[in-house]
Amino acid sequence: MPKLPLSRFTVLDLTRVRSGPAAVRQFADWGANVIKIEEPGDVPDDKPGGSSQFADYQNTHRNKRSVTLNLKHPEGKALFMEMVKQADVVIENYRPNVKFKLGIDYESLRKVNPRIILASVSGFGQDGPYVDRPGLDQIAQGLGGIMSVTGEPGRGPMRAGIPVADLTSGLFCAIGTLVALLEREESGEGQWVQSSLLQAQVWMMDFQIMRWLMNKEIPGQTGNNHPTTAATGVYPTSDGFINLAAMGTEMFVRLVKALGRPEIAEDARFKDIKTRGQHRPALNELIAECTKEKPSAYWIDVFNKEGVPCGYIKNVKETMEDPQVVHLGMAKKLQHPKLGEISVVNQAVIMSRSKRDVFTAAPDRGEHNHEVYAEFGISAERVNALAKAGAI
C-alpha cells in the first residue's frame, strides 16, 4: 500500500461511542498510526455484547490497532506517559473533569512532550455553566436549535434522523487537530484543541441562526418545504414522492414549463420569490396536481432535461444501490477475520494522489498489545508483567 498522507503521525485514541471516534476515524482512514486504548477485561462499552463484530463498531473503529491499558493503575498511567512521549496526538471525549482526575490533562501531557496535541470533544465545552452536565447527541440537538426547525408545523419538536451533533463535533475536532499539526510545523509546540456537540450543532444551524442574529426572526418548522423559498419540497407522483428545488425565478419558469403548465409563472401570486413564499400552499397544490399524474421516473427524466434540481427519495438500501453512490465508492469493502468480506462507509473525500486501497477491520480489545508495545520499546516480558499486575 502506498504511503498515506498522515502516516507520519501517531494518534493515541481514548475515545468511545461516536463523537470522539468520528474525529479519530479521519486520522485512521488517512494512514495515521492510530492506537485505540481500551480498559482491560470485559468492560461495557460501545461494543454491545462485547463483540467487535457489531456493524456500527466495525464502521467506527476500522483502520486502528487496539491495546489494553488501565489509566487508573500507576504502572498503566506511567506506560501511557511513555507512549505520549513518542506520540503526536491524544484524542479523548471523556467528561471534562475526568482527564484531570486521571492526570492526563493537557498541562500534564505537555510536561512529557511539549509537541503533543490534546484534542477533546465534550457535550458542552471544557468550562462554563454546563461543564458538569452529561452530554448526548439528542440533548445537543435540542439546545442547539435543530429540533425547533425539523418536522412539520404543529407536530412538536423533532430530532434529526442521524446523530448530527456527534458526527459534526467529531469532524470539527479533526479539523482543529489538523490545523494544530500544521501550526506545530512553525511553532514546534502542541496545543489543546476543543470542540463540543453544542458548538457543532449551533454552527450547523447556519442560515437559520443568521435569521435571528441579523433579523431577529425565529425560524419555525416547515416540514419538507424550504424554510424561506418556494417551490422547494416533496411532491407526490403516481408511484411515490420526489424532491423538487426550483428556488429562483428562472428555475421556477423551467419547472412549470416541464410540468406543462407555463401559465403558472404568469399568475400574480407566483411572479417573484416573495409572493411564491407567501402563497406556498396554493403553489404546492398546483404542482402536486401535475406530478401525481405520472410516475417518479418520468418526472425525474423530464426535470433533469429542463435543468430543474430533482431527485428520488430513497431508503438506505436504495441509496447504497444508487449508480452514482456506487460510482463514488461509498461502500468500502474490507476483510474481517471472522465475518469475511464486509463493507463500511467510505470517506467522503477523494484525493487525486492519496488513496487508501485497503481498509482493515476494527480490532478486538487488546489484539495488538505485544505488537504495539514492542514498537514503544516495551519488552514482551514487561508486557506480560504489566498484564499480570492489572496495568494493561
Side-chain angles (χ1 to χ4, degrees), residues 248-266:
T249 297
E250 180 182 349
M251 196 66 68
F252 178 67
V253 171
R254 292 184 192 177
L255 168 65
V256 294
K257 177 185 175 184
L259 290 171
R261 296 288 304 277
E263 72 277 7
I264 293 176
E266 301 303 318

Side-chain angles (χ1 to χ4, degrees), residues 202-368:
V202 171
W203 191 94
M204 289 293 289
M205 286 292 288
D206 197 62
F207 79 98
Q208 296 281 45
I209 289 283
M210 288 306 300
R211 292 170 69 183
W212 165 253
L213 291 177
M214 292 292 293
N215 304 321
K216 301 309 176 193
E217 176 186 359
I218 299 177
Q221 294 164 299
T222 57
N224 289 318
N225 293 315
H226 189 276
T228 58
T229 62
T232 297
V234 173
Y235 297 91
T237 65
S238 64
D239 61 355
F241 296 88
I242 59 172
N243 274 315
L244 285 174
M247 298 174 69
T249 297
E250 180 182 349
M251 196 66 68
F252 178 67
V253 171
R254 292 184 192 177
L255 168 65
V256 294
K257 177 185 175 184
L259 290 171
R261 296 288 304 277
E263 72 277 7
I264 293 176
E266 301 303 318
D267 190 312
R269 296 173 297 173
F270 313 134
K271 294 199 74 169
D272 57 48
I273 291 174
K274 183 177 180 179
T275 58
R276 286 195 293 274
Q278 291 170 341
H279 298 94
R280 184 198 304 271
L283 178 56
N284 282 344
E285 186 175 342
L286 284 172
I287 295 171
E289 286 176 1
C290 299
T291 57
K292 68 184 180 183
E293 295 297 320
K294 295 184 183 296
S296 298
Y298 170 85
W299 290 117
I300 296 296
D301 182 58
V302 167
F303 290 134
N304 276 315
K305 285 179 179 177
E306 287 293 337
V308 178
C310 63
Y312 294 102
I313 300 171
K314 300 189 172 188
N315 61 35
V316 292
K317 176 180 181 294
E318 293 165 339
T319 293
M320 295 313 293
E321 292 174 351
D322 182 281
Q324 186 65 29
V325 175
V326 173
H327 171 77
L328 292 169
M330 289 307 297
K332 182 71 173 179
K333 293 180 179 179
L334 59 83
Q335 287 294 322
H336 188 278
K338 297 175 183 175
L339 300 176
E341 186 177 84
I342 64 173
S343 294
V344 295
V345 182
N346 203 357
Q347 276 285 339
V349 173
I350 296 172
M351 296 192 184
S352 61
R353 290 188 295 104
S354 300
K355 304 178 189 297
R356 180 162 198 154
D357 296 324
V358 179
F359 274 26
T360 58
D364 288 329
R365 184 191 302 275
E367 179 182 340
H368 303 97

Side-chain angles (χ1 to χ4, degrees), residues 16-187:
R16 62 187 301 273
V17 189
R18 192 170 310 280
S19 61
V24 179
R25 193 190 323 175
Q26 307 310 306
F27 291 88
D29 285 0
W30 294 111
N33 174 28
V34 175
I35 301 166
K36 180 171 171 55
I37 296 174
E38 306 186 76
E39 293 183 53
D42 295 325
V43 180
D45 59 7
D46 52 348
K47 293 180 282 188
S51 173
S52 66
Q53 296 178 16
F54 182 56
D56 188 28
Y57 183 80
Q58 286 301 319
N59 186 56
T60 302
H61 296 291
R62 75 277 186 105
N63 299 324
K64 303 177 182 180
R65 294 184 294 170
S66 170
V67 299
T68 52
L69 192 152
N70 184 359
L71 287 167
K72 297 177 182 177
H73 192 288
E75 291 184 73
K77 165 80 174 298
L79 176 57
F80 177 73
M81 288 303 193
E82 289 183 48
M83 299 173 75
V84 168
K85 288 179 183 178
Q86 302 178 52
D88 297 283
V89 177
V90 175
I91 303 182
E92 58 87 19
N93 62 336
Y94 299 132
R95 284 200 199 183
N97 66 337
V98 170
K99 70 181 76 58
F100 293 95
K101 290 180 179 179
L102 293 172
I104 57 169
D105 54 278
Y106 177 63
E107 291 302 320
S108 298
L109 298 183
R110 72 189 296 262
K111 287 178 182 177
V112 300
N113 181 359
R115 291 175 57 82
I116 198 69
I117 292 164
L118 173 63
S120 299
V121 187
S122 61
F124 309 110
Q126 296 296 315
D127 46 38
Y130 296 172
V131 68
D132 293 324
R133 295 185 182 184
L136 292 171
D137 178 85
Q138 187 158 339
I139 309 304
Q141 286 196 31
L143 287 170
I146 191 172
M147 292 177 69
S148 73
V149 297
T150 302
E152 297 176 342
R155 296 286 295 273
M158 181 69 66
R159 67 180 290 274
I162 59 168
V164 61
D166 274 342
L167 294 172
T168 54
S169 62
L171 287 173
F172 286 123
C173 179
I175 292 169
T177 304
L178 290 167
V179 171
L181 286 168
L182 287 170
E183 191 279 338
R184 193 181 69 174
E185 293 180 359
E186 292 189 350
S187 68

